[in-house]
Amino acid sequence: RIMLAPLTRGRSDPAGLATPLMAEYYAQRASAGLLITEATAISREGHGWPNAPGIYTQEQVESWKQVTSAVHAKGGRIMLQLWHMGRVTHSANNGLQPVSASATTAPGEAHTYEGKQPYEQARPLETAEIPRLLADYAAAAANAREAGFDGVQLHAANGYLIDQFLRDGTNQRTDQYGGSIENRTRLLQEVTATLVDVLGKGRVAVRLSPNDGIQGVDDSDTYALFDHAAKVLNDLGIAFLEIRDPLPEGTFGSGLGPRRAGHLKTLFKGPLIDTADYTADSAIAALAAGHADGIAFGCPYIANPDLVERIAAGQPWASSNPAQWYSQGAEGYTDYPAFNG
């Protein structure tokens, strides 16, 4: 019931290849019940973070095999998180104009190899392009299977492409993918169903962020939107639903209100995993109250590769250095020791 939440760490090479350092990092954390990798681009179009990995070339597939082998050798299980960044990519990183639900521009600046640059206006994905997008997700899922992953998680949270389609603040479409809540959840449903077709229900999970409006995405009726999304995913029978569920005073983004996991668990009948701002005590309380079936830990896992063992033994947790979260090399990545050395 203890999982590693997906965390962008920026340790792949510029071609999006997984590295031996990444294999060491994930193997260090293999005692978790399940590891979910950092967000991994499904295509060049969706690849927009410096030194983030991809899963759309054969060379990338081969590079990931060292990671899955290292985790499996430690008795662990690992899912690949599938990522299309939508409007928060940048042409400086992939040579392409960003795409999104509509012609909008994200607030703030993009991280590029040349430093931070203002986001560019996205072009709307044409209705006729949706089948191509679904094919990109299908190919990424098949590539993940070839690379040895135990399954995939669809990144539909945090203001990226799927989230941009979900919310009426970024989706101004007039076709079957815009307007009503039913239409705006259509792409989520179609992509998830595509992944299920490739891998099977038991090997596909989804991440949603119903309790925040991160990276400039917002909605006029957030709770109704994600209630419907939970029902859509329940009908698809996926392996589990993970919720990014920060508190109003969250440490890495503030929530809109109280945690939503307990409510969504009444709508989504499969396993539900909650994440954001949990301690060992609050995680145990959430499970005891029936608000979640497991807890994914993000930031705590950066400095505590042995988090499972620390929780079991009641040991204190180390703190990480945020300046090293996205830096290159082993510092702040694989050099955090276990509690017992």
Side-chain angles (χ1 to χ4, degrees):
R1 295 174 185 266
I2 298 172
M3 298 169 60
L4 170 65
L7 294 164
T8 297
R9 300 307 309 276
R11 258 62 174 203
S12 74
D13 83 346
L17 305 182
T19 63
L21 194 65
M22 292 166 63
E24 180 183 358
Y25 170 81
Y26 285 109
Q28 287 176 341
R29 290 152 181 78
S31 62
L34 179 68
L35 308 177
I36 307 175
T37 71
E38 61 213 274
T40 301
I42 65 163
S43 64
R44 179 183 163 209
E45 175 188 82
H47 202 163
W49 182 278
N51 294 110
I55 193 67
Y56 53 91
T57 71
Q58 190 60 40
E59 194 177 10
Q60 291 165 352
V61 172
E62 295 300 321
S63 74
W64 275 112
K65 291 180 180 179
Q66 65 189 313
V67 177
T68 58
S69 294
V71 169
H72 291 152
K74 290 287 190 72
R77 298 183 179 92
I78 184 167
M79 276 185 156
L80 183 72
Q81 189 186 59
L82 301 181
W83 196 24
H84 191 304
M85 296 180 67
R87 71 176 187 168
V88 288
T89 63
H90 197 282
S91 61
N93 291 332
N94 62 14
L96 300 171
Q97 183 182 1
V99 300
S100 187
S102 302
T104 61
T105 304
E109 296 178 308
H111 293 270
T112 79
Y113 289 105
E114 291 79 38
K116 289 186 176 182
Q117 300 187 45
Y119 283 112
E120 302 161 313
Q121 185 179 70
R123 70 170 182 84
L125 269 171
E126 301 293 338
T127 308
E129 292 182 273
I130 299 297
R132 186 266 300 164
L133 177 68
L134 298 178
D136 288 344
Y137 274 104
N143 286 344
R145 178 174 55 201
E146 182 183 346
F149 286 99
D150 299 296
V152 300
Q153 184 190 62
L154 172 62
H155 197 343
N158 295 27
Y160 297 115
L161 181 67
I162 304 297
D163 211 12
Q164 293 160 26
F165 269 79
L166 287 174
R167 312 217 196 198
D168 59 16
T170 45
N171 185 338
Q172 294 131 30
R173 301 174 73 93
T174 57
D175 64 357
Q176 64 265 40
Y177 294 94
S180 68
I181 285 176
E182 290 76 15
N183 281 358
R184 285 183 278 120
T185 54
R186 190 182 305 277
L187 185 63
L188 169 69
Q189 190 277 333
E190 291 182 352
V191 172
T192 306
T194 295
L195 300 177
V196 167
D197 286 345
V198 175
L199 298 178
K201 295 179 179 180
R203 296 189 183 275
V204 175
V206 174
R207 182 182 234 220
L208 296 176
S209 50
N211 199 24
D212 64 10
I214 195 168
Q215 299 199 105
V217 300
D218 52 28
D219 192 82
S220 60
D221 196 349
T222 302
Y223 291 161
L225 167 64
F226 284 100
D227 281 3
H228 183 74
K231 294 174 185 175
V232 166
L233 296 173
N234 181 70
D235 291 344
L236 289 169
I238 59 173
F240 65 88
L241 173 60
E242 185 204 359
I243 299 299
R244 172 176 154 78
D245 204 9
L247 297 168
E249 65 280 8
T251 56
F252 197 69
S254 299
L256 300 174
R259 294 194 190 276
R260 298 294 294 166
H263 167 71
L264 291 175
K265 195 164 164 48
T266 68
L267 305 174
F268 180 80
K269 304 302 183 181
L272 189 142
I273 309 301
D274 207 25
T275 187
D277 302 313
Y278 274 99
T279 65
D281 288 342
S282 63
I284 291 167
L287 297 185
H291 294 163
D293 299 293
I295 302 298
F297 294 92
C299 290
Y301 249 121
I302 294 176
N304 299 276
D306 58 338
L307 187 64
V308 168
E309 292 77 14
R310 292 188 192 224
I311 292 174
Q315 295 166 338
W317 297 1
S319 298
S320 61
N321 179 359
Q324 297 174 327
W325 285 355
Y326 309 120
S327 61
Q328 298 296 293
E331 290 185 349
Y333 190 60
T334 56
D335 62 345
Y336 288 107
F339 185 79
N340 295 318

